[in-house]
């Protein structure tokens, strides 16, 4: 297949679709707090004096627009598997997650290790839930400073993130990010430079879950890998249910068993077996099923 | 279970099929070597257990094996020696010694039949060469056998000849001493010397001389016997009575031998079977050691109460999408936009 042009360039450029904007931000850091955010309560005053609150000039990059058009064209035309992914998650959410009680559900998307497609499926689950409920928020909980966050990959330009909120340098309202999908909000991880203690962060994260539960019908949390991140396990107690993501061909049965041991107090809402690639010819598989 | 087996087979199809392909290829290669028609010439040799009369054996004879087996072993060992193989090849013809030495080793078949019969066979594409090679092997072996035995007999004859001279001198000296003592003591002439205790009581010196004379005589007799045996050995070798005899002389074959159906089928079948065995071993190793989850069936241990959904690998025709691309695409589809674009 022919990849979109941004993937054919070197990695730095490939993951930096809005290069021009990044350069501009270095000169004058704009505030990117979404103007359209209107949850039930008004956002509190931002207590972060060091950062500029100047509205940026609209610098809609042609590169970014082309990139997005390219990816969307690729998704819609070339890869029926991607459409199937969305459909499968939508089906899963409609069938198994539609009975969740609004304002009482904090759903964790967990996986034993990294690179198992947890973030992708978190997005898909949150998107599907947004079609079932009025207000859904996706929380990106990333604790490893070395792994890329969705915010950095997408160049969302969010100045404040979850980390800022946990360090009490930003309010909840200033960290929430509305999306184009109706009813879906996004809480990015933000810059990962932890200064507060882990215990304090854990307590505040749980408190955040409570606050978000009050504000939104459903809270979907993209948790760090459970078996490799030490911060993930304490946060499990703040959840009302989990969706376990496993990657076919890399996750082992032992890892699943260990993950379920860690989550034994929390109801498992379902398992998403990601990256399934059947090698058996379809006609043979269907013959077996028959 | 059957779905898992099939999936495992298709997942590792190249690795699992490789031993089968290699085994089959090896079998076909062996077939190509074995399928060509050839001439075969064979000699039947009668082998006896080595004894004094047939010159014994010049190699170590294993008494627990049959004579034919012993003979086959010694002939195979000799064929492994370059000097022996070279000797045979040169007897057959002078051309291309190196190549024919290799052929000699691979195309010569030595196998015992019963306890005493030994077959010596040579296969060649040339009928005359087949016969001449067998004859050359028998000839070279017989010659080597005789040479070695003759050397051994000559050496032992010479050795025992020297020993005999020494023992004869010792006997003559002991007899002379005894006779001289009897001359000085004539009263002892009638004493029964077959009873040494009574003799020793009468005269100790006389008893000692009698004992010395008897020992020298025994030694002489023994050496004389050995000398006679070695002489017999040397003489019988010249008279060609070894412990083996060529019963059927090798003949020039008049017809080619074409391998039968069995010979045509066996090598590929064996190769295929070996490959399938190795493949099955590989399959079992994967089956037992691969604990990764590939199918929904692998998560059956979670129980029926846990909802399970499989998500297909995002591919475009044959190549997988990069993880970052999938993530960004998923984010875009769910309404996330870079902030500049979000405002448009």
């Amino acid at each position: 297949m022919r990849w979109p042009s941004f993937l054919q360039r070197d990695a730095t450029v490939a993951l930096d679709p809005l290069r021009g904007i990044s350069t501009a931000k270095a000169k004058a850091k704009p505030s990117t707090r979404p103007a359209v955010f209107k949850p039930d309560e008004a956002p509190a005053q931002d207590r972060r004096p060091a950062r500029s609150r100047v509205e940026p000039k609209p610098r809609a990059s042609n590169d970014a627009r082309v990139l997005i058009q390219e990816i969307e064209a690729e998704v819609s035309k070339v890869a029926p598997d991607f459409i199937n992914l969305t459909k499968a998650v939508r089906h899963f959410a409609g069938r198994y997650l539609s009975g969740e009680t609004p304002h009482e559900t904090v759903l964790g998307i967990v996986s034993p290790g990294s690179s198992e497609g947890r973030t992708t499926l978190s997005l898909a689950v949150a998107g599907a839930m947004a079609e079932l409920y009025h207000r859904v928020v996706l929380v990106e909980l990333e604790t490893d400073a070395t792994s890329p966050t969705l915010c950095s990959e997408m160049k969302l330009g969010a100045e404040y993130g979850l980390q800022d909120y946990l360090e009490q340098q930003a309010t909840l309202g200033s960290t929430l990010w509305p999306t184009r999908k109706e009813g879906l909000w996004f809480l990015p991880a933000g810059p990962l430079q932890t200064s507060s203690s882990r215990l304090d962060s854990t307590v505040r994260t749980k408190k955040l879950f409570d606050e978000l539960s009050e504000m939104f019908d459903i809270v979907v949390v993209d948790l760090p890998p459970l078996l490799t991140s030490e911060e993930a396990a304490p946060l499990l107690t703040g959840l009302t249910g989990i969706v376990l993501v496993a990657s076919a061909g890399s996750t082992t049965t032992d890892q699943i068993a260990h993950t379920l041991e860690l989550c034994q107090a929390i109801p498992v809402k379902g398992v998403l077996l990601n990256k399934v690639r059947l090698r058996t010819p379809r006609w043979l598989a269907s013959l077996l099923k028959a | 279970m059957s779905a898992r087996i099939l999936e495992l087979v298709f997942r590792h199809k190249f690795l699992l099929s490789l031993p089968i392909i290699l085994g089959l290829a090896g079998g076909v290669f062996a077939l190509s070597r074995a399928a060509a028609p050839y001439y075969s010439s064979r000699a039947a040799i009668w082998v006896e257990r080595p004894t004094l009369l047939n010159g014994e054996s010049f190699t170590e004879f294993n008494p627990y094996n049959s004579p034919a087996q012993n003979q086959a072993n010694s002939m195979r060992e000799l064929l492994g020696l370059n000097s022996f193989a070279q000797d045979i090849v040169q007897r057959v013809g002078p051309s291309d010694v190196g190549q024919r030495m290799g052929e000699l080793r691979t195309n010569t078949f030595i196998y015992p039949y019963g306890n005493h019969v030994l077959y010596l066979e040579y296969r060649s594409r040339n009928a005359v060469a087949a016969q001449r090679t067998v004859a050359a092997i028998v000839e070279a072996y017989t010659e080597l056998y005789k040479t070695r035995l003759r050397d051994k007999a000559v050496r032992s004859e010479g050795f025992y000849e020297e020993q005999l001279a020494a023992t004869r001198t010792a006997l003559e000296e002991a007899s002379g001493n005894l006779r001289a003592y009897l001359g000085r003591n004539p009263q002892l002439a009638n004493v029964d010397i077959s009873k040494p205790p009574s003799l020793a009581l009468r005269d100790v010196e006389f008893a000692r001389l009698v004992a010395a004379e008897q020992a020298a005589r025994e030694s002489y007799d023994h050496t004389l016997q050995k000398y006679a045996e070695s002489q017999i050995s040397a003489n019988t070798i010249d008279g060609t009575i070894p412990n083996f005899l060529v019963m059927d002389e090798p003949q020039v074959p008049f017809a080619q031998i074409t391998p039968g159906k069995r010979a045509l089928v066996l090598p590929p079948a064996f190769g295929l079977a070996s490959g399938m065995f190795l493949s099955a071993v590989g399959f079992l190793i994967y089956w037992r050691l691969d604990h990764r989850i590939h199918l929904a069936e692998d998560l059956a241990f979670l129980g029926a109460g846990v909802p399970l959904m499989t998500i297909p690998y995002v591919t475009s025709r044959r190549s997988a999408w990069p993880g970052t691309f999938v993530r960004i695409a998923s984010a875009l589809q769910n309404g996330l936009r870079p902030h500049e674009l979000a405002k448009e």
Side-chain angles (χ1 to χ4, degrees):
Chain A
M1 76 172 265
R2 185 183 160 274
W3 293 116
S5 55
F6 83 99
L7 285 172
Q8 293 166 4
R9 298 176 208 143
D10 62 89
T12 317
V13 178
L15 299 178
D16 190 5
L18 303 177
R19 304 185 299 286
I21 293 170
S22 303
T23 318
K25 276 178 75 180
K27 291 171 187 171
K29 212 170 186 178
S31 167
T32 55
R33 183 180 143 202
V36 289
F37 174 65
K38 293 209 185 288
D40 291 345
E41 58 181 76
Q45 187 65 37
D46 191 352
R47 284 171 282 174
R48 195 171 189 178
R51 293 190 183 177
S52 165
R53 305 290 300 162
V54 179
E55 282 294 316
K57 292 176 183 176
R59 294 174 68 90
S61 161
N62 284 333
D63 278 0
R65 192 178 296 107
V66 169
L67 158 76
I68 286 163
Q69 283 169 357
E70 233 174 318
I71 292 178
E72 284 179 336
E74 202 70 32
V75 169
S76 60
K77 287 180 188 171
V78 187
D81 285 346
F82 191 81
I83 310 299
N84 288 341
L85 180 150
T86 315
K87 279 184 185 170
V89 175
R90 210 176 276 171
H91 177 74
F92 176 79
R95 188 162 178 191
Y96 302 114
L97 304 176
S98 57
E100 300 297 319
T101 315
H103 299 292
E104 288 178 14
T105 303
V106 182
L107 199 61
I109 312 292
V110 298
S111 71
S114 55
S115 304
E116 290 178 332
R118 189 187 56 257
T119 303
T120 304
L121 293 181
S122 300
L123 283 159
V125 167
M129 294 297 273
E131 291 169 12
L132 299 169
Y133 293 88
H134 288 112
R135 284 190 304 274
V136 176
V137 64
L138 172 63
V139 181
E140 187 187 26
L141 248 180
E142 185 55 71
T143 53
D144 185 5
T146 56
S147 42
T149 61
L150 197 58
C151 194
S152 65
E153 276 185 342
M154 289 285 293
K155 291 290 171 192
L156 288 177
E159 190 182 1
Y160 304 118
L162 179 64
Q163 196 68 28
D164 297 305
Y165 172 76
L166 295 177
E167 289 173 9
Q168 301 181 357
Q169 293 188 359
T171 58
L172 187 55
S174 62
T175 54
L176 279 167
W177 184 272
T179 68
R180 281 192 169 183
K181 196 172 188 95
E182 195 183 338
L184 180 62
W185 274 264
F186 179 56
L187 178 51
L192 297 169
Q193 291 165 349
T194 306
S195 58
S196 57
S197 72
R198 283 174 185 162
L199 185 63
D200 190 30
S201 291
T202 306
V203 172
R204 284 190 61 82
T205 308
K206 285 178 188 169
K207 192 182 158 201
L208 166 76
F209 291 162
D210 293 340
E211 285 181 44
L212 288 173
S213 289
E214 287 172 15
M215 291 162 66
F216 294 92
D217 293 339
I218 304 287
V219 180
V220 179
V221 185
D222 176 14
L223 282 160
L226 269 186
L227 298 185
T228 56
S229 167
E230 55 190 15
E231 284 93 351
L235 296 172
L236 288 171
T237 50
L239 306 174
T240 59
I242 59 161
V243 173
L244 179 60
V245 174
S247 173
S250 62
T251 310
T252 63
T253 48
D254 292 342
Q255 286 176 324
I256 293 286
H258 286 149
T259 308
L260 290 177
E261 261 179 46
L262 285 172
C263 307
Q264 57 188 350
I266 308 154
V268 180
K269 300 290 180 184
V271 178
L272 291 172
L273 183 57
N274 195 19
K275 301 181 186 178
V276 175
R277 192 156 32 168
L278 286 180
R279 306 295 179 139
T280 312
R282 283 182 185 175
W283 63 269
L284 194 57
S286 60
L287 207 67
L288 271 177
K289 280 179 187 170
Chain B
M1 182 64 81
S2 53
R4 282 193 68 199
I5 292 171
L6 270 179
E7 184 63 21
L8 186 67
V9 168
F10 280 99
R11 189 171 297 281
H12 303 292
K13 53 183 177 289
F14 293 114
L15 210 59
L16 293 179
S17 57
L18 191 67
I20 299 175
I21 292 166
L22 287 179
L24 196 60
V28 170
F29 177 73
L31 175 68
S32 69
R33 295 286 302 258
Y38 61 90
Y39 291 98
S40 170
S41 183
R42 192 170 72 171
I45 301 168
W46 182 269
V47 189
E48 288 286 352
R49 196 167 286 276
T51 61
L52 174 66
L53 283 176
N54 58 29
E56 296 181 338
S57 173
F58 74 90
T59 56
E60 188 184 0
F61 187 87
N62 185 348
Y64 300 104
N65 283 348
S66 69
Q69 186 64 57
N70 269 295
Q71 187 75 16
N73 291 345
S74 71
M75 287 182 100
R76 283 193 197 115
E77 285 173 4
L78 281 172
L79 273 176
L81 302 178
N82 278 345
S83 57
F84 188 72
Q86 203 167 359
D87 181 27
I88 293 166
V89 168
Q90 280 169 347
R91 280 167 198 268
V92 177
S95 64
D96 201 4
V97 174
Q99 186 191 343
R100 288 173 60 196
M101 274 169 67
E103 287 175 2
L104 177 73
R105 284 172 183 142
T106 53
N107 297 344
T108 304
F109 300 91
I110 302 167
Y111 45 94
Y113 179 74
N115 285 335
H116 297 284
V117 176
L118 178 76
Y119 284 118
L120 176 61
E121 185 185 355
Y122 186 78
R123 293 174 185 175
S124 171
R125 294 189 180 178
N126 185 324
V128 177
Q131 184 271 334
R132 286 179 67 181
T133 306
V134 176
I137 294 172
V138 173
E139 195 180 297
Y141 187 80
T142 311
E143 202 171 286
L144 182 71
Y145 185 93
K146 282 184 182 176
T147 308
R148 290 290 178 89
L149 281 188
R150 190 181 295 115
D151 289 351
K152 185 182 168 187
V154 167
R155 276 201 305 275
S156 62
E157 193 182 3
F159 172 75
Y160 284 121
E161 198 172 357
E162 284 177 12
Q163 292 290 307
L164 193 64
T167 51
R168 187 187 293 126
T169 309
L171 177 63
E172 283 171 359
E173 190 182 338
S175 300
N177 289 342
L178 183 61
R179 273 197 302 274
Y181 192 78
L182 282 172
R184 287 196 298 275
N185 303 286
Q187 74 278 9
L188 295 171
N190 294 326
V191 174
D192 184 5
I193 60 172
S194 62
K195 294 176 180 173
S198 61
L199 191 66
L201 286 173
R202 282 168 184 261
D203 190 330
V204 176
E205 179 60 18
F206 179 62
R208 190 186 65 79
L209 289 171
V210 167
E213 196 268 349
Q214 281 176 346
R217 185 171 299 281
E218 277 174 18
S219 177
Y220 177 74
D221 289 345
H222 178 74
T223 312
L224 186 63
Q225 188 190 353
K226 286 287 180 187
Y227 178 63
E229 284 174 4
S230 66
Q231 275 189 317
I232 290 170
S233 292
N235 293 333
T236 49
I237 290 159
D238 285 338
T240 59
I241 318 173
N243 67 334
F244 67 91
L245 184 66
V246 180
M247 302 295 283
D248 297 334
E249 291 286 344
Q251 304 292 326
V252 177
F254 56 86
Q256 276 189 329
I257 296 173
T258 309
K261 283 180 185 171
R262 192 177 166 189
L264 291 175
V265 170
L266 216 58
F270 181 73
L272 188 68
S274 309
M276 286 173 81
F277 175 74
L278 285 175
S279 189
V281 169
F283 176 84
L284 283 176
I285 289 172
Y286 272 118
W287 182 262
R288 297 293 299 169
L289 299 183
D290 189 4
H291 292 179
R292 290 174 300 174
I293 296 160
H294 294 289
L295 301 168
E297 282 87 341
D298 296 332
L299 287 168
F301 68 94
L302 292 176
V306 180
L308 175 67
M309 180 68 71
T310 56
I311 311 291
Y313 202 99
V314 179
T315 57
S316 178
R317 298 193 182 177
R318 287 185 182 177
S319 48
W321 283 20
T324 312
F325 186 43
V326 177
R327 247 190 326 269
I328 294 176
S330 184
L332 289 173
Q333 212 171 43
N334 288 292
L336 268 71
R337 287 285 188 283
H339 69 284
E340 286 83 2
L341 294 181
K343 289 170 185 169
E344 289 181 355

